[in-house]
Amino acid sequence: MTQAYSAGLTVTDNIVLRKERILPLKGKVCVQKGDKVKADDLVAETSLPGNVLPMNIANKLGITPAQVMQFIKVKPGDQITRGQILAETNGIFGLGFFKSSVRAPIDGEVESISGLTGQAMLREPRIPVQIKAFIEGLVIDVIPEEGVVIENKSAYIQGIFGICGETSGEIKMLCSQPTQDLTPDLITSDCAGKLVVGGALTPIETILKAKEMGVNGIITGGIDDQDIKKLLGKDIGVAITGHENMGITILVTEGFGPIKMADKTFELLKQFEGQKASMHGKTQIRAGVIRPEIIIPLEFKEDDLAVQKTRDSLLTPGQLVRIIRQPGFGKIGKITGLPEELHNVQSETRVRVLTAEVDGEEWLLPRANVELIED
């Protein structure tokens, strides 16, 4: 089993974080600017369109497409239930004998009906999408119909790798030393709903028992890459993680193999044992680096957020940045300006941007698309 290390991950007991919580489609924002929110609070919601199911009404009734509109019983936009009659003929000589009918195979709605093709397009029920705050903090900005920006003061730890999405729970230390492995016998019933912290290595047997016991998340120094393959049933390669549906989130702070957790990370987690934290396992090592995170909210006053250094406030004109997403991935630029207003980008969302001189030209870049090249 090989070992892999990474330097430069952020581990701090006091930082101001800013998180954008954005819907995949336009919808409804449920909070207002200035509201204080908890991690589990709903901040925005929408509905994704259901799958479309075509039905050839003409063929099923044995009529021509042009006749479909005579016998159809529903219209576009109507809600339907499984088994409901969508279209029905009048029977022999219009006397009601030997009627033919077509019934809805799904619950949903009628998308469209065509007298040219004789087809009806049915759509399955919409899929509700709810965006929670994820972190406890203050809503500092509302993007109408899209989402919010939340800011807070936290202890903060970045991991090198993770799997599965967002979760939260109280931090529970299960290892007394960062060199100690997180073995199955350390997982007990009182770990349910918690974020448990190990030391050097967490084997697959421990992960499976933790999942069985209802543990929300595991934080560990190292993990066997072959165990990840067994858990997911496939190699992860360089793809984005965080969308897995395992029922337990795993965050690795150091790398693959029996690597002891960094002392600073271990002591920071120990310092906040018993406090509620948020974490996710989303990881992307390629362009547009995403790191798994542990966020432990701290008490703060609104004035604290204004005076603490945020990632944005570290950016100043004249500094060098590297572009970490396309277009321009890998290019180096010098910041020339930091506009305060939000700008529309290609994804049609409004984000904070900066201007930078890149290859002798001025580029307008989302701030999330660059990383600071520190001296």
Side-chain angles (χ1 to χ4, degrees), residues 212-229:
E212 180 184 343
M213 289 291 185
V215 173
N216 285 358
I218 296 175
I219 304 163
T220 180
I223 196 169
D224 189 334
D225 58 337
Q226 293 304 308
D227 285 348
I228 294 294
K229 183 177 180 180

Side-chain angles (χ1 to χ4, degrees), residues 112-134:
S112 64
I113 303 167
S114 173
L116 296 177
T117 64
Q119 285 205 108
M121 307 299 287
L122 310 181
R123 189 176 287 278
E124 293 179 345
R126 291 180 173 272
I127 304 166
V129 176
Q130 295 185 324
I131 301 294
K132 295 185 177 181
F134 178 56

Side-chain angles (χ1 to χ4, degrees), residues 21-65:
R21 307 297 289 166
I22 305 297
L23 291 166
L25 293 176
K26 287 186 181 296
K28 174 187 174 184
V29 177
C30 305
V31 294
Q32 297 180 341
K33 185 175 180 178
D35 286 353
K36 287 188 175 181
V37 293
K38 300 289 188 181
D40 294 328
D41 287 349
L42 180 68
V43 296
E45 59 184 353
T46 189
S47 295
L48 298 178
N51 295 324
V52 172
L53 176 67
M55 285 197 69
N56 196 318
I57 304 292
N59 280 356
K60 291 182 179 295
L61 291 181
I63 58 178
T64 65

Side-chain angles (χ1 to χ4, degrees), residues 238 240 284-290 323-326 329-330:
V238 292
I240 298 174
Q284 181 175 320
I285 303 172
R286 299 181 299 175
V289 174
I290 300 172
I323 302 173
I324 58 174
R325 291 186 176 91
Q326 293 291 2
F329 171 65

Side-chain angles (χ1 to χ4, degrees), residues 320-371:
L320 294 179
V321 291
R322 179 184 294 108
I323 302 173
I324 58 174
R325 291 186 176 91
Q326 293 291 2
F329 171 65
K331 289 183 177 292
I332 305 297
K334 180 182 288 187
I335 298 174
T336 58
L338 296 164
E340 286 297 324
E341 65 274 12
L342 299 176
H343 281 67
N344 289 320
V345 293
Q346 289 182 345
S347 63
E348 298 185 1
T349 57
R350 291 174 59 79
V351 299
R352 285 180 169 78
V353 298
L354 58 80
T355 56
E357 183 183 336
V358 182
D359 295 338
E361 300 178 351
E362 186 169 87
W363 288 31
L364 186 70
L365 299 166
R367 298 189 192 186
N369 285 13
V370 303
E371 64 180 5

Side-chain angles (χ1 to χ4, degrees), residues 242-256:
H243 303 288
E244 302 81 11
N245 187 22
M246 276 181 36
I248 185 171
T249 298
I250 300 173
L251 184 145
V252 181
T253 64
E254 312 305 322
F256 294 112

Side-chain angles (χ1 to χ4, degrees), residues 55-360:
M55 285 197 69
N56 196 318
I57 304 292
N59 280 356
K60 291 182 179 295
L61 291 181
I63 58 178
T64 65
Q67 292 176 298
V68 165
M69 303 310 291
Q70 294 178 237
F71 304 116
I72 199 77
K73 303 295 184 184
V74 292
K75 61 183 183 298
D78 282 357
Q79 298 296 309
I80 55 174
T81 57
R82 184 188 297 269
Q84 178 181 338
I85 293 178
L86 301 178
E88 187 174 54
T89 61
N90 296 330
I92 297 176
F93 305 120
L95 299 177
F97 299 109
F98 303 107
K99 288 183 178 181
S100 295
S101 61
V102 178
R103 296 179 181 271
I106 59 169
D107 294 329
E109 64 181 285
V110 180
E111 180 85 1
S112 64
I113 303 167
S114 173
L116 296 177
T117 64
Q119 285 205 108
M121 307 299 287
L122 310 181
R123 189 176 287 278
E124 293 179 345
R126 291 180 173 272
I127 304 166
V129 176
Q130 295 185 324
I131 301 294
K132 295 185 177 181
F134 178 56
I135 63 172
E136 181 178 329
L138 182 71
V139 178
I140 64 164
D141 199 5
V142 171
I143 305 171
E145 300 183 322
E146 293 185 28
V148 299
V149 181
I150 301 172
E151 202 166 67
N152 82 348
K153 189 173 166 184
S154 296
Y156 179 71
I157 298 168
Q158 285 184 325
I160 185 62
F161 172 79
I163 55 174
C164 297
E166 298 171 354
T167 189
S168 62
E170 289 183 7
I171 296 173
K172 184 175 179 62
M173 304 296 294
L174 296 185
C175 291
S176 58
Q177 300 293 329
T179 54
Q180 181 183 351
D181 291 346
L182 183 55
T183 51
D185 59 289
L186 298 175
I187 304 292
T188 57
S189 58
D190 61 352
C191 294
K194 305 289 178 62
L195 307 181
V196 299
V197 181
L201 181 70
T202 298
I204 189 170
E205 295 80 12
T206 303
I207 296 170
L208 294 175
K209 185 175 180 183
K211 182 179 176 181
E212 180 184 343
M213 289 291 185
V215 173
N216 285 358
I218 296 175
I219 304 163
T220 180
I223 196 169
D224 189 334
D225 58 337
Q226 293 304 308
D227 285 348
I228 294 294
K229 183 177 180 180
K230 292 174 185 175
L231 287 167
L232 301 180
K234 62 179 180 180
D235 283 317
I236 53 171
V238 292
I240 298 174
T241 71
H243 303 288
E244 302 81 11
N245 187 22
M246 276 181 36
I248 185 171
T249 298
I250 300 173
L251 184 145
V252 181
T253 64
E254 312 305 322
F256 294 112
I259 312 173
K260 79 162 219 173
M261 185 178 292
D263 292 335
K264 182 179 180 181
T265 304
F266 190 84
E267 291 303 319
L268 186 59
L269 290 166
K270 188 175 180 180
Q271 176 185 340
F272 290 100
E273 183 173 15
Q275 293 195 32
K276 189 169 183 179
S278 301
M279 67 177 280
H280 69 76
K282 300 174 187 176
T283 311
Q284 181 175 320
I285 303 172
R286 299 181 299 175
V289 174
I290 300 172
R291 303 190 193 280
E293 302 169 313
I294 306 161
I295 301 167
I296 309 164
L298 305 175
E299 291 290 334
F300 68 90
K301 298 177 182 178
E302 292 185 29
D303 290 345
D304 294 338
L305 302 183
V307 299
Q308 290 284 334
K309 287 186 176 181
T310 67
R311 184 179 185 276
D312 282 349
S313 66
L314 293 173
L315 299 173
T316 57
Q319 288 184 306
L320 294 179
V321 291
R322 179 184 294 108
I323 302 173
I324 58 174
R325 291 186 176 91
Q326 293 291 2
F329 171 65
K331 289 183 177 292
I332 305 297
K334 180 182 288 187
I335 298 174
T336 58
L338 296 164
E340 286 297 324
E341 65 274 12
L342 299 176
H343 281 67
N344 289 320
V345 293
Q346 289 182 345
S347 63
E348 298 185 1
T349 57
R350 291 174 59 79
V351 299
R352 285 180 169 78
V353 298
L354 58 80
T355 56
E357 183 183 336
V358 182
D359 295 338

